[in-house]
Amino acid sequence: MFLISKFFWLAAQPLSIAFGLAALATLLAFAGRPKLAGTFSLLAALVLFVTLYTTTGTAALQILEARFPKPRQEPADLTCMIVLGGALETEVTTSRGGMEFNQAADRFVETLRLALRHPQARILISGGDGSISGVYEGEAEASERFFSAFGIPADRLVKENTSRTTYENTVNTAELLKSRGLENCLLITSAYHMPRSVGLFRKAGIQVVPWPVDYRTSGIAGLSLDFTQPSLNAQLTTTAAREWMSLTAYYLTGRIGDVFPQ
């Protein structure tokens, strides 16, 4: 299932769809089907235009980010935090060492902030090597260097270093929580990723307090044309498409109970 999901996404992301439609249009043109070729060319251009020059991705991502607002106050008695992987460039850290974060770095920055304010809280880091090759350092393992650099002792960390997907994050984390007697943890992950994550933990019978971070949108953008930042628009559309597809797939396969948990 892991490899299937990886290869499916290679073909299903918006720019890949546009390329596939353009390639099909070319084949149809050579096959003497000009009308069909024109139709698929138009579809390819439409997908590219929407992806690059509209705020469709921003609007779709905002809906996800708004599903679980961050609580106004921190828990008075915080005993544990779960931070989901996806914030480290494991390919880079494996070859170069150190800590190299991507856009989801807020997952670890916020966890560190809370850890310093609540020294009694345990920190469960869930994330292995999510690459197809499986040859890189697991994210949970690498994260120990980050927390130790800020004085967080290793015995506060609970490392789940084998999961490659959000579903595996949940299954493996649930086992660790039960074995360590940890309950009612904060769940720290990107805001757009929170609905699927909460849905998985609920399905596993694990109560968590959603603590979203890493917002990618302002929350107030509307649908419009935007010719100023095509590369960012493409990135936001790709992220939104992947998350909405994942929610649908997880619901259809019974991994979450609702197509859009709330």
Side-chain angles (χ1 to χ4, degrees):
M1 184 62 75
F2 169 71
L3 289 178
I4 291 174
S5 66
K6 286 289 187 180
F7 288 119
F8 172 79
W9 178 241
L10 288 176
Q13 51 191 303
L15 294 181
S16 295
I17 292 173
F19 176 81
L21 290 169
L24 183 58
T26 302
L27 291 175
L28 288 167
F30 278 114
R33 304 293 297 274
K35 289 186 178 180
L36 272 179
T39 299
F40 282 102
S41 294
L42 183 62
L43 287 173
L46 180 61
V47 172
L48 273 177
F49 184 84
V50 170
T51 300
L52 297 174
Y53 300 118
T54 75
T55 60
T56 301
T58 301
L61 211 56
Q62 279 184 164
I63 296 171
L64 292 163
E65 291 184 337
R67 198 64 164 174
F68 286 92
K70 182 180 291 186
R72 294 181 179 274
Q73 294 182 335
E74 297 173 13
D77 185 24
L78 181 58
T79 59
C80 67
M81 297 172 276
I82 303 165
V83 55
L84 300 185
L88 287 174
E89 295 292 346
T90 53
E91 181 178 356
V92 178
T93 60
T94 299
S95 61
R96 296 182 179 275
M99 299 297 298
E100 296 295 333
F101 288 100
N102 57 32
Q103 195 172 354
D106 279 359
R107 300 185 190 188
F108 280 80
V109 173
E110 179 67 0
T111 301
L112 174 63
R113 185 189 73 81
L114 291 167
L116 293 173
R117 286 175 54 84
H118 303 273
Q120 77 284 356
R122 302 293 300 277
I123 307 165
L124 193 156
I125 307 110
S126 179
D129 176 13
S131 68
I132 294 176
S133 64
V135 298
Y136 303 121
E137 180 182 30
E139 191 159 347
E141 196 65 36
S143 67
E144 185 174 339
R145 296 196 296 274
F146 172 74
F147 288 107
S148 64
F150 292 91
I152 305 298
D155 60 8
R156 287 185 63 186
L157 306 180
V158 180
K159 294 181 289 185
E160 187 285 294
N161 204 37
T162 60
S163 59
R164 302 164 297 174
T165 66
T166 306
Y167 174 70
E168 292 180 0
N169 283 145
T170 307
V171 173
N172 298 335
T173 296
E175 294 178 0
L176 284 173
L177 291 174
K178 292 175 183 176
S179 65
R180 303 297 178 97
L182 299 174
E183 297 179 328
N184 298 319
C185 302
L186 288 190
L187 177 60
I188 302 171
T189 190
S190 300
Y192 71 84
H193 188 235
M194 189 61 77
R196 180 158 55 108
S197 302
V198 170
L200 285 165
F201 275 94
R202 285 178 180 168
K203 190 73 173 181
I206 304 296
Q207 294 297 318
V208 293
V209 178
W211 199 264
V213 296
D214 178 33
Y215 288 87
R216 307 289 175 92
T217 73
S218 65
I220 57 174
L223 278 173
S224 64
L225 298 176
D226 181 7
F227 297 99
T228 65
Q229 47 186 10
S231 59
L232 178 59
N233 290 335
Q235 183 184 65
L236 293 173
T237 303
T238 300
T239 301
R242 182 171 188 170
E243 196 59 31
W244 281 108
M245 287 181 190
S246 296
L247 277 166
T248 303
Y250 275 32
Y251 175 71
L252 293 176
T253 55
R255 291 181 170 181
I256 58 177
D258 302 290
V259 70
F260 194 23
Q262 62 180 341

